[in-house]
Amino acid sequence: MPFFRRKPRITDAIYGNLMTSFGRVVDLDPMVKNPAMALAERVVAEYAEQAALLDAATYRGSTVYHLRLLAGSWIMSAEASVPRATAEVFEEAVAWRFEPLARGSAVLAHRISALARGEGERDVRQAW
């Protein structure tokens, strides 16, 4: 988010609307779904302890699900399918939802957002 910009006011209703909206569209397009899933799995692997705490507080697989939808929102934003501001609000909403469930877990939302925006380091080694 830009410096000195006011954070959005997140409520359960806003969070639910974002999850419902992106839950409906992210999985429809494999060109969004597959990269989003890869990013979510990477972040969950990097922050396995926080992900386990979040899953324990909610349900198994919930962390990957939420992060996949967030990554999908950033991918769609890059394609101009949704406004960047929507992805920014969704990032703050996921961080807002995660933090009370497991202290320090808001970092997952910010990490996946940075990776989805292309701000992270790249592993250019060949897998084979």
Side-chain angles (χ1 to χ4, degrees):
M1 276 193 160
F3 199 56
F4 292 118
R5 185 166 160 195
R6 186 175 67 87
K7 286 190 176 184
R9 182 174 172 264
I10 306 297
T11 64
D12 285 327
I14 291 170
Y15 188 77
N17 289 341
L18 287 165
M19 287 297 294
T20 300
S21 297
F22 285 109
R24 290 180 178 160
V25 297
V26 167
D27 289 339
L28 292 178
D29 185 356
M31 296 299 285
V32 174
K33 178 184 176 183
N34 295 336
M37 184 58 144
L39 288 170
E41 289 172 348
R42 176 178 172 174
V43 170
V44 166
E46 287 179 7
Y47 297 94
E49 185 177 329
Q50 285 97 345
L53 290 172
L54 287 168
D55 282 354
T58 54
Y59 59 90
R60 190 169 44 117
S62 68
T63 305
V64 170
Y65 178 71
H66 286 78
L67 293 177
R68 181 170 50 84
L69 297 184
L70 176 56
S73 74
W74 281 108
I75 293 167
M76 293 172 67
S77 170
E79 296 175 341
S81 300
V82 296
R84 181 181 172 92
T86 302
E88 290 173 351
V89 169
F90 196 23
E91 176 184 350
E92 291 303 319
V94 172
W96 171 83
R97 175 63 73 194
F98 280 3
E99 189 61 30
L101 298 175
R103 188 174 200 103
S105 61
V107 70
L108 279 77
H110 301 305
R111 174 68 174 149
I112 198 164
S113 296
L115 289 174
R117 288 189 302 261
E119 296 171 0
E121 67 286 344
R122 292 182 182 244
D123 182 0
V124 294
R125 294 175 292 160
Q126 290 188 353
W128 45 283

